[in-house]
Amino acid sequence: MSEPSHSDVSSYSEYSSFTGATGQKQKLRCWSKGSENLQQTFCMAFSVDFTVYNFAIAEEGGTKWFTQKRFSQFDQLDDELNKKFPDVMINVQRLPPKKFVGSLSPSLIAMRQKALDAYLQSVLSRPILASSDEIRDFIEMPLDLRGRESEEQRHNLAAQDALRP
């Protein structure tokens, strides 16, 4: 697998390690791949401009994939994780505030890109979150890398997270 180059990456994380469904350590890493401003047209009557943020995600074994997400999708994920894992989410990097006016400004997009990158890395560094269905769906983890942890494995992940600062 090729490593991220400095020209197309704002930052990248070290591999985050957690025990996967097979009982083996699974290691993931993510890094920012920039953003794109897009336009969606509805019923040929009106259009909406929005930004998508691009991320690369890699498993230590060599599998690498890409995902695009809107800020609103990160916001929805954050709400879901805070409801399901409130004790773990206390220590996760916060999302930047919502902004309805000027959301396409280059400075806001750059600030959000860095904040979303830090958020995703923070989430993936916590085993209980990284192994959750919410995160696996969000990062669009390939099916062959997914697995279902037993209740005991989830308990062990929660114990690992409790020890993290």
Side-chain angles (χ1 to χ4, degrees), residues 11 13 16 30 55 70-71 73-83 85 88-96 111-126 129 134-135 138-139:
S11 66
S13 64
S16 299
C30 71
F55 293 91
R70 293 178 67 170
F71 180 81
Q73 292 173 292
F74 274 93
D75 192 50
Q76 180 180 6
L77 173 69
D78 191 60
D79 287 345
E80 290 173 17
L81 293 177
N82 275 297
K83 287 176 187 162
F85 305 101
V88 178
M89 290 300 290
I90 290 170
N91 297 314
V92 170
Q93 172 77 30
R94 303 300 342 139
L95 287 177
M111 184 273 300
R112 277 187 172 175
Q113 183 72 48
K114 288 181 190 277
L116 296 175
D117 186 42
Y119 175 83
L120 194 53
Q121 289 181 34
S122 182
V123 166
L124 288 175
S125 73
R126 283 151 177 86
L129 299 177
E134 291 82 1
I135 292 299
F138 185 79
I139 65 173

Side-chain angles (χ1 to χ4, degrees), residues 6-164:
H6 293 292
S7 63
D8 65 354
V9 175
S10 63
S11 66
Y12 67 96
S13 64
E14 294 302 315
Y15 285 104
S16 299
S17 179
F18 60 94
T19 304
T22 63
Q24 296 181 339
K25 289 275 186 194
Q26 216 173 2
K27 295 183 177 184
L28 296 176
R29 176 167 59 181
C30 71
W31 61 94
S32 170
K33 297 288 285 179
S35 62
E36 299 173 53
N37 290 331
L38 302 176
Q39 187 176 73
Q40 185 173 10
T41 303
F42 297 95
C43 302
M44 294 194 277
F46 65 96
S47 62
V48 176
D49 295 324
F50 59 93
T51 302
V52 291
Y53 299 91
N54 304 311
F55 293 91
I57 299 140
E59 188 209 20
E60 190 177 43
T63 303
K64 179 175 158 184
W65 67 97
F66 301 90
T67 188
Q68 284 188 327
K69 299 294 176 186
R70 293 178 67 170
F71 180 81
S72 60
Q73 292 173 292
F74 274 93
D75 192 50
Q76 180 180 6
L77 173 69
D78 191 60
D79 287 345
E80 290 173 17
L81 293 177
N82 275 297
K83 287 176 187 162
K84 189 169 181 179
F85 305 101
D87 294 341
V88 178
M89 290 300 290
I90 290 170
N91 297 314
V92 170
Q93 172 77 30
R94 303 300 342 139
L95 287 177
K98 294 179 189 178
K99 183 168 180 149
F100 298 103
V101 178
S103 62
L104 294 178
S105 78
S107 62
L108 178 66
I109 291 170
M111 184 273 300
R112 277 187 172 175
Q113 183 72 48
K114 288 181 190 277
L116 296 175
D117 186 42
Y119 175 83
L120 194 53
Q121 289 181 34
S122 182
V123 166
L124 288 175
S125 73
R126 283 151 177 86
I128 191 79
L129 299 177
S131 66
S132 71
D133 290 337
E134 291 82 1
I135 292 299
R136 291 173 182 212
D137 291 343
F138 185 79
I139 65 173
E140 301 171 21
M141 180 182 272
L143 293 176
D144 61 325
L145 296 180
R146 293 180 186 224
R148 301 286 180 221
E149 286 80 16
S150 68
E151 192 61 37
E152 179 181 351
Q153 289 170 321
R154 287 201 184 268
H155 177 73
N156 290 339
L157 291 173
Q160 289 175 15
D161 277 334
L163 299 174
R164 294 185 67 86

